Amino acid sequence: MHPTQNTDVWILPFEGEATPRPLIATEHMEGFVSPSPDGRWFAYMSSKTGRIEVFVRPLPEEDNREWQVSHNGGEMVRWSPQGDEIFYRDGNRLMAVPVSAEPGFSAGTPHVVFETDFFNCHGPSFDVSPDGQRFLVLKPVTAGEPITEIQVVVNWFEELKEKMREAGQ
């Protein structure tokens, strides 16, 4: 974070000079970056409009064009595994925006996927499955309900494989 600015987005190249450098450095808050599956774009949150919204910019970073994809607030952005949608939170609503990168970037109209009580934390409160068909959501514990049990599952992947074999899949 720059001493006279808010949070910024930095990049660390894997090749050549391995020194982090600012990718987006403004007086506004920028953060929670999600790269597109093909690595040509990245979605992020910014407060440049006066409230937190979702934007998309191309990579390489020399291209400074950007597109605003949320219009009523947006945070905790995630790119779909197929690269054809961007998901974000708008309060208790999970929103989806259809996007296309051919021939250039374009975004459709945001729509509600579902509404729920999200747990508000200093990090992502949802993620999308690799097939893009399910979401994992952090939800708050209802006040007054004591937590009396914690289940820890070890070797869960091996257990899943065994159950799949038993089911004939």
Side-chain angles (χ1 to χ4, degrees):
M1 187 162 100
H2 190 278
T4 61
Q5 298 167 322
N6 214 318
T7 56
D8 296 325
V9 176
W10 288 60
I11 189 167
L12 174 64
F14 286 125
E15 298 172 359
E17 179 186 333
T19 303
R21 64 183 185 282
L23 184 58
I24 305 173
T26 72
E27 68 275 10
H28 306 288
M29 184 287 301
E30 291 97 12
F32 292 100
V33 176
S34 180
S36 66
D38 64 7
R40 294 177 45 212
W41 310 91
F42 67 97
Y44 66 99
M45 300 175 356
S46 175
S47 64
K48 70 176 76 188
T49 65
R51 68 175 165 198
I52 305 295
E53 297 285 0
V54 175
F55 293 84
V56 170
R57 290 182 66 166
L59 284 169
E61 60 271 17
E62 290 80 26
D63 188 339
N64 290 325
R65 293 176 297 159
E66 67 179 5
W67 294 264
Q68 184 175 338
V69 298
S70 67
H71 303 288
N72 293 315
E75 59 184 358
M76 307 300 171
V77 62
R78 287 282 177 263
W79 211 287
S80 75
Q82 295 77 21
D84 59 351
E85 287 182 293
I86 294 175
F87 302 107
Y88 64 90
R89 279 186 49 195
D90 176 5
N92 283 340
R93 301 183 306 170
L94 183 78
M95 306 295 290
V97 178
V99 296
S100 175
E102 299 300 331
F105 183 83
S106 64
T109 303
H111 64 275
V112 177
V113 178
F114 61 83
E115 290 189 43
T116 191
D117 291 328
F118 288 94
F119 181 70
N120 291 315
C121 55
H122 295 291
S125 55
F126 77 92
D127 206 353
V128 59
S129 65
D131 64 2
Q133 299 301 306
R134 294 175 303 279
F135 295 91
L136 182 65
V137 176
L138 295 178
K139 293 185 61 86
V141 175
T142 304
E145 292 183 17
I147 298 173
T148 58
E149 180 179 329
I150 296 176
Q151 295 184 2
V152 178
V153 179
V154 293
N155 297 323
W156 65 270
F157 194 69
E158 295 303 318
E159 184 177 338
L160 176 63
K161 284 198 278 189
E162 181 60 33
K163 288 190 183 292
M164 296 297 283
R165 277 192 288 273
E166 290 171 3
Q169 296 186 6

